Amino acid sequence: MKYLLMIYENEKIWESLSQEETQQILGEYAVFTESIEKSGNYIAGEALEPTPTATTVRIREGKRLTTDGPFAETREQLGGFYLVEAKDLDEAIAMASRIPNARTGSIEVRPIMDYSKNMG
């Protein structure tokens, strides 16, 4: 089953890190990514640009409305994701717990909807 591991972090903490600390965390991400690639769990993953680059789109009464920034301001922002293949939720949670930002932020684990099961 596919799971999306969404990485939420406080961008202010990330911005306050020294270059050495940033390089250390990026190195940890490289090790983690390589490990799930080798295990066959990795499908995709990307880091996102900070929330000031986001645009939120809504359609209301047939008109497109856009606003700068994320849908809602929160303490933690979506900073990236991994799309993985896991045998079950326990395995997905185990992978999520190894993501470096699980120590300072949070990782939301959500199953990907399998439409083929509902299509009969």
Side-chain angles (χ1 to χ4, degrees):
M1 182 167 200
K2 293 178 184 160
Y3 291 89
L4 188 62
L5 312 179
M6 292 174 278
I7 304 163
Y8 287 90
E9 59 192 355
N10 184 328
E11 291 178 347
K12 300 289 183 208
I13 291 174
W14 187 258
E15 293 168 1
S16 70
L17 297 176
S18 70
Q19 191 158 10
E20 182 177 277
E21 292 168 320
T22 299
Q23 289 305 314
Q24 179 182 341
I25 292 171
L26 291 177
E28 292 175 16
Y29 268 99
V31 169
F32 172 74
T33 302
E34 184 178 340
S35 75
I36 61 172
E37 285 173 339
K38 285 182 178 176
S39 68
N41 297 104
Y42 180 85
I43 297 172
E46 294 290 344
L48 301 177
E49 291 288 340
T51 53
T53 65
T55 302
T56 300
V57 178
R58 296 177 180 87
I59 303 294
R60 299 291 185 267
E61 299 176 4
K63 294 181 181 174
R64 184 180 66 196
L65 306 171
T66 61
T67 54
D68 293 338
F71 175 69
E73 289 198 24
T74 59
R75 223 173 87 188
E76 293 182 338
Q77 297 79 34
L78 180 62
F81 69 90
Y82 284 98
L83 179 62
V84 299
E85 181 73 36
K87 66 181 177 195
D88 56 27
L89 179 61
D90 289 338
E91 185 180 35
I93 290 171
M95 278 186 268
S97 67
R98 295 173 29 226
I99 294 175
N101 272 78
R103 296 191 309 261
T104 56
S106 59
I107 313 299
E108 180 179 339
V109 178
R110 192 179 305 183
I112 299 296
M113 187 175 291
D114 183 356
Y115 284 107
S116 66
K117 290 182 180 178
N118 300 328
M119 299 301 229

